[in-house]
Amino acid sequence: MRRGSLVQLIALTLVAFAVGTAVAVFVPWMPTPASKEAGRIWFTYWFATWICLGIFAIVAAVLVYSLLKFRVKEGDLSDGPPVHGHTTLEIVWTAVPFVLVTAISIVSAIVLAQDSHAGKNPLKITVTAQQFAWKFTYPNKQTHGIMRIPKGRHVLLTLTSNDVIHSFWVPQMGQKQDAVPGQKNTLVITPTRLGTYPLICTELCGLGHSLMRSTVMVLSPAGYKAWYTGAEAAPPPSGGAKSAAALFTGAGTCGACHTFAPAKAAGTIGPSLDHLKADAARAGQALEAYVKQSIEDPDAYVTPTYKKGVMSASCCKQLSSDQVDKLVQYLVENSK
Ligand code: CUA
């Protein structure tokens, strides 16, 4: 190869590398990581990206060089000289990718192992998904609709679902994990930044899938402790101690899907409950019987323009009959 050609190839390689690097670096492809696990995943991402950029630059340079240098000359219809391979080149382009792909898989395996390691004393939270809400149960058995976790501590999530498959994803925390009925999947989060982050369901789970969101709040260890002990002092959420209004707006219950002005609920997945008297009249039922049936057997009568099977029985399965009665009473008393 002549010296001039080599200089041209190197120049083209540098240009292609600069263009590729600009696209990779200056476009914000990934959110700023907010957990140790995400930081390691971002590292893997950049490790693979730099390798790709190098290979892209070499391939693009050779391609452009060949297009310009070996353009057909006008009137020249002859064949090029026959070529029967190039052993050195073939060994190089087999060995180099082998080494690179092996390196990526080793880095990935290490990161995967580290990211699922919860340490000696993790904060254990049970995450229960259901159409279309998230619930977080803490070691003190308290359940909340948003997840608060302390900065710097390993958090071990155990995910499950009450109805269909959902998937837990906080973009800034990197990892995704499915919530599967009858199964317990785990996910480790070690938050590194204070703040509030969106939690998104990433498994198509029904009509309300796109609205199945919650929030993860990363608090300082002291702030978390204050919240946690404060929450512990509150009355337990079980049985009759919980007011009907709290049942309605509580984690993953009616308010997530229905609008009801007295409870300040504004869900839009199911029909509004702001005109229950008219709805009962249209269904040809007494108000109280109508409300009770709608909770216990949602598909027996479905408000026009809404579909059957959206309000699954799982919505109210965890309510005792006492709690259902309370809820019915609350809705009847506050309905217009
Ligand atoms: Cu739950 Cu999508």
Side-chain angles (χ1 to χ4, degrees), residues 113-138:
Q114 287 181 333
D115 274 6
S116 46
H117 181 67
K120 282 204 183 84
N121 181 30
L123 167 61
K124 291 181 181 167
I125 300 175
T126 302
V127 181
T128 310
Q130 72 175 55
Q131 293 168 318
F132 299 97
W134 299 95
K135 281 193 292 193
F136 307 96
T137 308
Y138 285 75

PDB file of all heavy atoms in Angstrom, residues 113-138:
ATOM      1  N   ALA A 113     -23.631  -9.943  37.893  1.00  0.00           N
ATOM      2  CA  ALA A 113     -23.478 -10.558  39.220  1.00  0.00           C
ATOM      3  C   ALA A 113     -23.495  -9.483  40.304  1.00  0.00           C
ATOM      4  O   ALA A 113     -24.167  -9.630  41.330  1.00  0.00           O
ATOM      5  CB  ALA A 113     -22.176 -11.350  39.273  1.00  0.00           C
ATOM      6  N   GLN A 114     -22.769  -8.375  40.070  1.00  0.00           N
ATOM      7  CA  GLN A 114     -22.727  -7.302  41.077  1.00  0.00           C
ATOM      8  C   GLN A 114     -24.106  -6.671  41.253  1.00  0.00           C
ATOM      9  O   GLN A 114     -24.503  -6.332  42.372  1.00  0.00           O
ATOM     10  CB  GLN A 114     -21.726  -6.231  40.652  1.00  0.00           C
ATOM     11  CG  GLN A 114     -20.280  -6.683  40.814  1.00  0.00           C
ATOM     12  CD  GLN A 114     -19.305  -5.593  40.419  1.00  0.00           C
ATOM     13  OE1 GLN A 114     -19.647  -4.732  39.596  1.00  0.00           O
ATOM     14  NE2 GLN A 114     -18.115  -5.624  40.974  1.00  0.00           N
ATOM     15  N   ASP A 115     -24.843  -6.506  40.158  1.00  0.00           N
ATOM     16  CA  ASP A 115     -26.129  -5.811  40.220  1.00  0.00           C
ATOM     17  C   ASP A 115     -27.208  -6.621  40.922  1.00  0.00           C
ATOM     18  O   ASP A 115     -28.239  -6.073  41.314  1.00  0.00           O
ATOM     19  CB  ASP A 115     -26.591  -5.411  38.812  1.00  0.00           C
ATOM     20  CG  ASP A 115     -26.003  -4.066  38.403  1.00  0.00           C
ATOM     21  OD1 ASP A 115     -25.169  -3.540  39.161  1.00  0.00           O
ATOM     22  OD2 ASP A 115     -26.374  -3.552  37.329  1.00  0.00           O
ATOM     23  N   SER A 116     -27.016  -7.935  41.058  1.00  0.00           N
ATOM     24  CA  SER A 116     -28.044  -8.696  41.762  1.00  0.00           C
ATOM     25  C   SER A 116     -27.587  -9.049  43.180  1.00  0.00           C
ATOM     26  O   SER A 116     -28.227  -9.847  43.864  1.00  0.00           O
ATOM     27  CB  SER A 116     -28.434  -9.951  40.967  1.00  0.00           C
ATOM     28  OG  SER A 116     -27.286 -10.602  40.511  1.00  0.00           O
ATOM     29  N   HIS A 117     -26.495  -8.434  43.615  1.00  0.00           N
ATOM     30  CA  HIS A 117     -25.986  -8.703  44.962  1.00  0.00           C
ATOM     31  C   HIS A 117     -26.554  -7.675  45.946  1.00  0.00           C
ATOM     32  O   HIS A 117     -26.333  -6.481  45.796  1.00  0.00           O
ATOM     33  CB  HIS A 117     -24.457  -8.628  44.944  1.00  0.00           C
ATOM     34  CG  HIS A 117     -23.837  -8.909  46.269  1.00  0.00           C
ATOM     35  ND1 HIS A 117     -23.889 -10.148  46.861  1.00  0.00           N
ATOM     36  CD2 HIS A 117     -23.179  -8.113  47.140  1.00  0.00           C
ATOM     37  CE1 HIS A 117     -23.281 -10.096  48.027  1.00  0.00           C
ATOM     38  NE2 HIS A 117     -22.841  -8.868  48.227  1.00  0.00           N
ATOM     39  N   ALA A 118     -27.309  -8.155  46.939  1.00  0.00           N
ATOM     40  CA  ALA A 118     -28.028  -7.237  47.823  1.00  0.00           C
ATOM     41  C   ALA A 118     -27.283  -6.934  49.116  1.00  0.00           C
ATOM     42  O   ALA A 118     -27.817  -6.265  49.998  1.00  0.00           O
ATOM     43  CB  ALA A 118     -29.414  -7.797  48.137  1.00  0.00           C
ATOM     44  N   GLY A 119     -26.067  -7.423  49.279  1.00  0.00           N
ATOM     45  CA  GLY A 119     -25.315  -7.127  50.496  1.00  0.00           C
ATOM     46  C   GLY A 119     -25.857  -7.872  51.708  1.00  0.00           C
ATOM     47  O   GLY A 119     -26.730  -8.746  51.585  1.00  0.00           O
ATOM     48  N   LYS A 120     -25.343  -7.525  52.893  1.00  0.00           N
ATOM     49  CA  LYS A 120     -25.681  -8.297  54.098  1.00  0.00           C
ATOM     50  C   LYS A 120     -26.998  -7.859  54.728  1.00  0.00           C
ATOM     51  O   LYS A 120     -27.718  -8.649  55.291  1.00  0.00           O
ATOM     52  CB  LYS A 120     -24.559  -8.131  55.135  1.00  0.00           C
ATOM     53  CG  LYS A 120     -23.350  -8.996  54.834  1.00  0.00           C
ATOM     54  CD  LYS A 120     -22.544  -9.260  56.119  1.00  0.00           C
ATOM     55  CE  LYS A 120     -21.290 -10.063  55.828  1.00  0.00           C
ATOM     56  NZ  LYS A 120     -20.163  -9.222  55.380  1.00  0.00           N
ATOM     57  N   ASN A 121     -27.292  -6.559  54.659  1.00  0.00           N
ATOM     58  CA  ASN A 121     -28.443  -6.064  55.408  1.00  0.00           C
ATOM     59  C   ASN A 121     -29.310  -5.147  54.538  1.00  0.00           C
ATOM     60  O   ASN A 121     -29.412  -3.955  54.769  1.00  0.00           O
ATOM     61  CB  ASN A 121     -27.943  -5.303  56.655  1.00  0.00           C
ATOM     62  CG  ASN A 121     -29.091  -4.781  57.471  1.00  0.00           C
ATOM     63  OD1 ASN A 121     -30.179  -5.374  57.494  1.00  0.00           O
ATOM     64  ND2 ASN A 121     -28.879  -3.645  58.130  1.00  0.00           N
ATOM     65  N   PRO A 122     -29.945  -5.738  53.512  1.00  0.00           N
ATOM     66  CA  PRO A 122     -30.735  -4.878  52.625  1.00  0.00           C
ATOM     67  C   PRO A 122     -32.071  -4.493  53.253  1.00  0.00           C
ATOM     68  O   PRO A 122     -32.567  -5.199  54.136  1.00  0.00           O
ATOM     69  CB  PRO A 122     -30.966  -5.769  51.408  1.00  0.00           C
ATOM     70  CG  PRO A 122     -30.952  -7.160  51.949  1.00  0.00           C
ATOM     71  CD  PRO A 122     -30.016  -7.154  53.121  1.00  0.00           C
ATOM     72  N   LEU A 123     -32.622  -3.378  52.801  1.00  0.00           N
ATOM     73  CA  LEU A 123     -33.991  -3.014  53.147  1.00  0.00           C
ATOM     74  C   LEU A 123     -34.889  -3.840  52.235  1.00  0.00           C
ATOM     75  O   LEU A 123     -34.764  -3.785  51.014  1.00  0.00           O
ATOM     76  CB  LEU A 123     -34.202  -1.517  52.896  1.00  0.00           C
ATOM     77  CG  LEU A 123     -35.653  -1.016  52.908  1.00  0.00           C
ATOM     78  CD1 LEU A 123     -36.310  -1.266  54.257  1.00  0.00           C
ATOM     79  CD2 LEU A 123     -35.701   0.464  52.567  1.00  0.00           C
ATOM     80  N   LYS A 124     -35.781  -4.641  52.838  1.00  0.00           N
ATOM     81  CA  LYS A 124     -36.612  -5.537  52.026  1.00  0.00           C
ATOM     82  C   LYS A 124     -37.998  -4.946  51.831  1.00  0.00           C
ATOM     83  O   LYS A 124     -38.700  -4.671  52.807  1.00  0.00           O
ATOM     84  CB  LYS A 124     -36.716  -6.900  52.693  1.00  0.00           C
ATOM     85  CG  LYS A 124     -35.404  -7.665  52.674  1.00  0.00           C
ATOM     86  CD  LYS A 124     -35.551  -9.024  53.334  1.00  0.00           C
ATOM     87  CE  LYS A 124     -34.203  -9.735  53.321  1.00  0.00           C
ATOM     88  NZ  LYS A 124     -34.191 -10.901  54.203  1.00  0.00           N
ATOM     89  N   ILE A 125     -38.378  -4.790  50.582  1.00  0.00           N
ATOM     90  CA  ILE A 125     -39.703  -4.249  50.270  1.00  0.00           C
ATOM     91  C   ILE A 125     -40.392  -5.216  49.304  1.00  0.00           C
ATOM     92  O   ILE A 125     -39.783  -5.675  48.338  1.00  0.00           O
ATOM     93  CB  ILE A 125     -39.596  -2.855  49.618  1.00  0.00           C
ATOM     94  CG1 ILE A 125     -38.903  -1.873  50.568  1.00  0.00           C
ATOM     95  CG2 ILE A 125     -40.975  -2.327  49.233  1.00  0.00           C
ATOM     96  CD1 ILE A 125     -38.656  -0.497  49.960  1.00  0.00           C
ATOM     97  N   THR A 126     -41.642  -5.531  49.596  1.00  0.00           N
ATOM     98  CA  THR A 126     -42.419  -6.372  48.680  1.00  0.00           C
ATOM     99  C   THR A 126     -43.212  -5.465  47.748  1.00  0.00           C
ATOM    100  O   THR A 126     -43.928  -4.578  48.198  1.00  0.00           O
ATOM    101  CB  THR A 126     -43.390  -7.288  49.460  1.00  0.00           C
ATOM    102  OG1 THR A 126     -42.609  -8.076  50.360  1.00  0.00           O
ATOM    103  CG2 THR A 126     -44.152  -8.199  48.520  1.00  0.00           C
ATOM    104  N   VAL A 127     -43.038  -5.677  46.454  1.00  0.00           N
ATOM    105  CA  VAL A 127     -43.738  -4.870  45.459  1.00  0.00           C
ATOM    106  C   VAL A 127     -44.848  -5.717  44.855  1.00  0.00           C
ATOM    107  O   VAL A 127     -44.589  -6.793  44.316  1.00  0.00           O
ATOM    108  CB  VAL A 127     -42.772  -4.414  44.347  1.00  0.00           C
ATOM    109  CG1 VAL A 127     -43.507  -3.563  43.321  1.00  0.00           C
ATOM    110  CG2 VAL A 127     -41.606  -3.643  44.943  1.00  0.00           C
ATOM    111  N   THR A 128     -46.095  -5.248  44.990  1.00  0.00           N
ATOM    112  CA  THR A 128     -47.220  -5.986  44.422  1.00  0.00           C
ATOM    113  C   THR A 128     -47.830  -5.166  43.296  1.00  0.00           C
ATOM    114  O   THR A 128     -48.242  -4.028  43.499  1.00  0.00           O
ATOM    115  CB  THR A 128     -48.289  -6.276  45.504  1.00  0.00           C
ATOM    116  OG1 THR A 128     -47.634  -6.840  46.645  1.00  0.00           O
ATOM    117  CG2 THR A 128     -49.333  -7.242  44.986  1.00  0.00           C
ATOM    118  N   ALA A 129     -47.863  -5.766  42.111  1.00  0.00           N
ATOM    119  CA  ALA A 129     -48.446  -5.082  40.963  1.00  0.00           C
ATOM    120  C   ALA A 129     -49.842  -5.625  40.730  1.00  0.00           C
ATOM    121  O   ALA A 129     -50.119  -6.796  41.005  1.00  0.00           O
ATOM    122  CB  ALA A 129     -47.587  -5.312  39.728  1.00  0.00           C
ATOM    123  N   GLN A 130     -50.742  -4.771  40.292  1.00  0.00           N
ATOM    124  CA  GLN A 130     -52.053  -5.238  39.839  1.00  0.00           C
ATOM    125  C   GLN A 130     -52.614  -4.194  38.887  1.00  0.00           C
ATOM    126  O   GLN A 130     -52.142  -3.058  38.866  1.00  0.00           O
ATOM    127  CB  GLN A 130     -52.995  -5.470  41.010  1.00  0.00           C
ATOM    128  CG  GLN A 130     -53.483  -4.185  41.681  1.00  0.00           C
ATOM    129  CD  GLN A 130     -54.511  -4.466  42.757  1.00  0.00           C
ATOM    130  OE1 GLN A 130     -54.271  -5.237  43.676  1.00  0.00           O
ATOM    131  NE2 GLN A 130     -55.670  -3.848  42.627  1.00  0.00           N
ATOM    132  N   GLN A 131     -53.580  -4.598  38.080  1.00  0.00           N
ATOM    133  CA  GLN A 131     -54.167  -3.656  37.136  1.00  0.00           C
ATOM    134  C   GLN A 131     -54.826  -2.520  37.914  1.00  0.00           C
ATOM    135  O   GLN A 131     -55.807  -2.779  38.603  1.00  0.00           O
ATOM    136  CB  GLN A 131     -55.196  -4.357  36.253  1.00  0.00           C
ATOM    137  CG  GLN A 131     -54.554  -5.374  35.311  1.00  0.00           C
ATOM    138  CD  GLN A 131     -55.596  -6.255  34.660  1.00  0.00           C
ATOM    139  OE1 GLN A 131     -56.535  -6.693  35.301  1.00  0.00           O
ATOM    140  NE2 GLN A 131     -55.434  -6.540  33.388  1.00  0.00           N
ATOM    141  N   PHE A 132     -54.401  -1.299  37.918  1.00  0.00           N
ATOM    142  CA  PHE A 132     -53.237  -0.759  37.243  1.00  0.00           C
ATOM    143  C   PHE A 132     -52.499   0.109  38.245  1.00  0.00           C
ATOM    144  O   PHE A 132     -52.531   1.324  38.147  1.00  0.00           O
ATOM    145  CB  PHE A 132     -53.678   0.077  36.025  1.00  0.00           C
ATOM    146  CG  PHE A 132     -54.444  -0.750  35.021  1.00  0.00           C
ATOM    147  CD1 PHE A 132     -55.820  -0.771  34.982  1.00  0.00           C
ATOM    148  CD2 PHE A 132     -53.731  -1.573  34.133  1.00  0.00           C
ATOM    149  CE1 PHE A 132     -56.496  -1.567  34.059  1.00  0.00           C
ATOM    150  CE2 PHE A 132     -54.418  -2.350  33.215  1.00  0.00           C
ATOM    151  CZ  PHE A 132     -55.801  -2.352  33.176  1.00  0.00           C
ATOM    152  N   ALA A 133     -51.929  -0.519  39.221  1.00  0.00           N
ATOM    153  CA  ALA A 133     -51.281   0.237  40.295  1.00  0.00           C
ATOM    154  C   ALA A 133     -50.171  -0.593  40.938  1.00  0.00           C
ATOM    155  O   ALA A 133     -50.081  -1.809  40.747  1.00  0.00           O
ATOM    156  CB  ALA A 133     -52.314   0.646  41.355  1.00  0.00           C
ATOM    157  N   TRP A 134     -49.332   0.092  41.693  1.00  0.00           N
ATOM    158  CA  TRP A 134     -48.236  -0.549  42.421  1.00  0.00           C
ATOM    159  C   TRP A 134     -48.460  -0.388  43.916  1.00  0.00           C
ATOM    160  O   TRP A 134     -48.942   0.644  44.367  1.00  0.00           O
ATOM    161  CB  TRP A 134     -46.913   0.127  42.056  1.00  0.00           C
ATOM    162  CG  TRP A 134     -46.559   0.045  40.619  1.00  0.00           C
ATOM    163  CD1 TRP A 134     -46.798   0.973  39.661  1.00  0.00           C
ATOM    164  CD2 TRP A 134     -45.882  -1.033  39.969  1.00  0.00           C
ATOM    165  NE1 TRP A 134     -46.318   0.534  38.453  1.00  0.00           N
ATOM    166  CE2 TRP A 134     -45.751  -0.694  38.615  1.00  0.00           C
ATOM    167  CE3 TRP A 134     -45.377  -2.267  40.411  1.00  0.00           C
ATOM    168  CZ2 TRP A 134     -45.137  -1.528  37.691  1.00  0.00           C
ATOM    169  CZ3 TRP A 134     -44.766  -3.086  39.485  1.00  0.00           C
ATOM    170  CH2 TRP A 134     -44.650  -2.717  38.139  1.00  0.00           C
ATOM    171  N   LYS A 135     -48.061  -1.424  44.674  1.00  0.00           N
ATOM    172  CA  LYS A 135     -48.124  -1.335  46.130  1.00  0.00           C
ATOM    173  C   LYS A 135     -46.781  -1.754  46.707  1.00  0.00           C
ATOM    174  O   LYS A 135     -46.160  -2.692  46.218  1.00  0.00           O
ATOM    175  CB  LYS A 135     -49.215  -2.261  46.677  1.00  0.00           C
ATOM    176  CG  LYS A 135     -50.605  -1.680  46.533  1.00  0.00           C
ATOM    177  CD  LYS A 135     -51.608  -2.458  47.357  1.00  0.00           C
ATOM    178  CE  LYS A 135     -51.816  -3.848  46.794  1.00  0.00           C
ATOM    179  NZ  LYS A 135     -52.982  -4.502  47.389  1.00  0.00           N
ATOM    180  N   PHE A 136     -46.363  -1.055  47.765  1.00  0.00           N
ATOM    181  CA  PHE A 136     -45.067  -1.329  48.371  1.00  0.00           C
ATOM    182  C   PHE A 136     -45.264  -1.657  49.840  1.00  0.00           C
ATOM    183  O   PHE A 136     -45.755  -0.824  50.601  1.00  0.00           O
ATOM    184  CB  PHE A 136     -44.149  -0.120  48.198  1.00  0.00           C
ATOM    185  CG  PHE A 136     -44.064   0.312  46.762  1.00  0.00           C
ATOM    186  CD1 PHE A 136     -44.863   1.337  46.282  1.00  0.00           C
ATOM    187  CD2 PHE A 136     -43.224  -0.352  45.881  1.00  0.00           C
ATOM    188  CE1 PHE A 136     -44.821   1.706  44.953  1.00  0.00           C
ATOM    189  CE2 PHE A 136     -43.173   0.010  44.547  1.00  0.00           C
ATOM    190  CZ  PHE A 136     -43.977   1.046  44.080  1.00  0.00           C
ATOM    191  N   THR A 137     -44.899  -2.872  50.220  1.00  0.00           N
ATOM    192  CA  THR A 137     -45.083  -3.294  51.603  1.00  0.00           C
ATOM    193  C   THR A 137     -43.733  -3.357  52.298  1.00  0.00           C
ATOM    194  O   THR A 137     -42.814  -4.035  51.828  1.00  0.00           O
ATOM    195  CB  THR A 137     -45.792  -4.663  51.659  1.00  0.00           C
ATOM    196  OG1 THR A 137     -46.969  -4.581  50.857  1.00  0.00           O
ATOM    197  CG2 THR A 137     -46.179  -5.021  53.083  1.00  0.00           C
ATOM    198  N   TYR A 138     -43.654  -2.622  53.422  1.00  0.00           N
ATOM    199  CA  TYR A 138     -42.395  -2.482  54.148  1.00  0.00           C
ATOM    200  C   TYR A 138     -42.283  -3.521  55.260  1.00  0.00           C
ATOM    201  O   TYR A 138     -43.263  -4.196  55.583  1.00  0.00           O
ATOM    202  CB  TYR A 138     -42.300  -1.052  54.714  1.00  0.00           C
ATOM    203  CG  TYR A 138     -41.976  -0.040  53.641  1.00  0.00           C
ATOM    204  CD1 TYR A 138     -42.945   0.358  52.724  1.00  0.00           C
ATOM    205  CD2 TYR A 138     -40.695   0.475  53.514  1.00  0.00           C
ATOM    206  CE1 TYR A 138     -42.647   1.249  51.717  1.00  0.00           C
ATOM    207  CE2 TYR A 138     -40.390   1.376  52.502  1.00  0.00           C
ATOM    208  CZ  TYR A 138     -41.364   1.765  51.606  1.00  0.00           C
ATOM    209  OH  TYR A 138     -41.051   2.636  50.607  1.00  0.00           O
TER     210      TYR A 138
END
